[in-house]
Amino acid sequence: MADTYLTPLRYTCMLCFLLLQGVAPSALAEQLNFQKTQKGDATDYYYRWLDADNEVQEIRFRLPHTAFKAAPTLQPNYKPSLAQRFVTVALMKKAKTYDPKDARIAIKNDNQRIHIEVRSQSETRADVILEELQAEQVRAFNAYLEQNYYVRFTTIFNQGAVKPDHLRYVEETTKALVPVSQSFYGKIRQDADARDYFDLLLGWIQSIPYDTLEDRVASNGSGFAPPVGLLNQNLGDCDSKAVLTSALVRAFLPTTDMAMVFLPNHALLAVALTPLIDDSTIQIDGRDFVLYDPTGPALLPFGQVSESTQRYLQTGRYQIEVID
């Protein structure tokens, strides 16, 4: 008998509010204007915001509507009942391929579990069929996750769950977001280095209104906004902003090693650039990566993270996903 247990996962950023404790009002991001205008087969975006120096910044870019097809603009909700139904249908189809004279197969659903029972005059044959059905069960569940942009995930508390496929969103949207990355690159000085790009980019995305979520493991992932969806709704949580930022940075630095860093209730980023003496860093495979946090509304410059984040990192309460 085989069981499948389907557990939803939500990423949250309640920690992001803790980041604001003790932060002066002048250090908070402020979006002054946001406009989205459809023009033919493209959409124009315009943003104005206050940066860390309290100076007004602005950016314009255009995305062709083909960019909207690179990946979903909305993350489908993960519902265990739908996943279970999808897997059950696949198992039923597989079960019909066996001769009922050879084996009797029972497939039952119970409290988000799928039970498979195989009876045959030959115990060996029953074991073979059960093994094949179990393989189909795994295949069907993987197919459901892939179709809906989810992946399996194990938290640092060893909780098995699923989450939006952040790395896939980065991979599939980077090319489509090249016009956005180029717009930021065009605003920095010709003699500027990568840090100027990061600081400009971070001030912009930190000023995008923050979407509060609740509990990481108790939800269905519906709060996650894919990159183009975040731009369209002008709203995003920590992991949504981290994915969008990663896609834009990957377009700017196509061969530089990067990673997403997951804390129990937060997400930030790391990149393999040479750290300065005051930079917050993390080691990945023996190399120093500079940390940066696009969440906002705290205006944290490139290389700086909050004290709360530092405590999680120092105690090893984090997970790494390397961005290809």
Side-chain angles (χ1 to χ4, degrees):
M1 186 175 295
D3 296 336
T4 294
Y5 186 47
L6 312 174
T7 306
L9 175 73
R10 165 175 284 186
Y11 268 92
T12 126
C13 262
M14 293 304 295
L15 178 64
C16 301
F17 288 107
L18 299 178
L19 299 180
L20 302 182
Q21 294 180 0
V23 176
S26 60
L28 300 184
E30 181 181 356
Q31 186 181 82
L32 303 176
N33 194 4
F34 164 72
Q35 297 178 20
K36 183 181 66 172
T37 307
Q38 184 171 331
K39 293 187 176 181
D41 59 355
T43 298
D44 289 342
Y45 299 82
Y46 171 71
Y47 300 82
R48 290 177 68 242
W49 70 97
L50 288 178
D51 65 14
D53 297 322
N54 208 35
E55 295 183 357
V56 176
Q57 298 285 354
E58 64 178 5
I59 197 81
R60 299 176 186 271
F61 54 83
R62 171 174 291 184
L63 285 179
H65 290 165
T66 54
F68 299 176
K69 301 177 182 179
T73 57
L74 295 175
Q75 171 64 47
N77 294 2
Y78 178 80
K79 296 183 178 180
S81 59
L82 294 181
Q84 182 172 320
R85 185 183 309 166
F86 183 94
V87 173
T88 300
V89 169
L91 285 172
M92 292 292 190
K93 290 181 179 179
K94 180 68 174 177
K96 290 180 180 180
T97 65
Y98 296 99
D99 188 341
K101 296 180 181 179
D102 188 23
R104 299 180 63 182
I105 301 171
I107 299 171
K108 300 178 181 179
N109 295 325
D110 179 28
N111 192 27
Q112 298 183 11
R113 292 181 183 272
I114 299 175
H115 303 275
I116 306 173
E117 184 177 353
V118 180
R119 295 181 180 181
S120 175
Q121 292 183 350
S122 168
E123 183 176 348
T124 300
R125 180 57 179 160
D127 290 340
V128 169
I129 294 175
L130 177 59
E131 184 177 338
E132 292 173 350
L133 288 170
Q134 289 172 334
E136 175 62 17
Q137 183 178 359
V138 172
R139 185 209 64 77
F141 185 51
N142 288 340
Y144 181 84
L145 295 180
E146 182 178 3
Q147 289 178 20
N148 292 278
Y149 280 71
Y150 277 98
V151 291
R152 288 182 175 84
F153 184 74
T154 302
T155 72
I156 62 173
F157 305 111
N158 204 34
Q159 295 171 292
V162 299
K163 72 174 182 66
D165 193 343
H166 300 105
L167 301 186
R168 183 180 175 190
Y169 275 114
V170 174
E171 179 182 2
E172 294 187 4
T173 58
T174 293
K175 183 177 180 180
L177 294 176
V178 165
V180 185
S181 183
Q182 290 177 335
S183 294
F184 281 95
Y185 183 74
K187 283 184 64 67
I188 61 177
R189 308 184 317 273
Q190 289 188 350
D191 61 344
D193 60 17
R195 287 176 175 269
D196 295 293
Y197 175 89
F198 274 99
D199 283 335
L200 180 64
L201 180 67
L202 285 173
W204 165 70
I205 199 164
Q206 288 165 354
S207 73
I208 293 176
Y210 172 69
D211 186 19
T212 306
L213 301 181
E214 298 302 330
D215 182 78
R216 174 178 268 179
V217 181
S219 177
N220 58 9
S222 59
F224 176 77
V228 176
L230 191 158
L231 294 176
N232 286 336
Q233 67 187 27
N234 193 39
L235 189 70
D237 66 355
C238 58
D239 51 320
S240 304
K241 290 188 175 187
V243 170
L244 171 59
T245 305
S246 295
L248 296 176
V249 173
R250 175 53 77 224
F252 173 61
L253 300 171
T255 61
T256 302
D257 291 335
M258 301 161 44
M260 298 187 72
V261 182
F262 296 111
L263 310 184
N265 295 302
H266 192 45
L268 62 154
L269 300 171
V271 61
L273 295 181
T274 302
L276 300 181
I277 190 170
D278 293 329
D279 282 344
S280 295
T281 62
I282 191 171
Q283 280 217 335
I284 302 175
D285 295 330
R287 301 170 58 201
D288 284 334
F289 281 59
V290 180
L291 292 163
Y292 59 108
D293 191 337
T295 301
L299 283 170
L300 295 173
F302 180 72
Q304 293 187 23
V305 297
S306 71
E307 292 182 3
S308 300
T309 293
Q310 284 285 16
R311 286 195 292 270
Y312 277 99
L313 297 173
Q314 290 168 0
T315 55
R317 290 178 291 171
Y318 64 88
Q319 295 166 283
I320 298 292
E321 284 191 359
V322 175
I323 300 171
D324 293 330

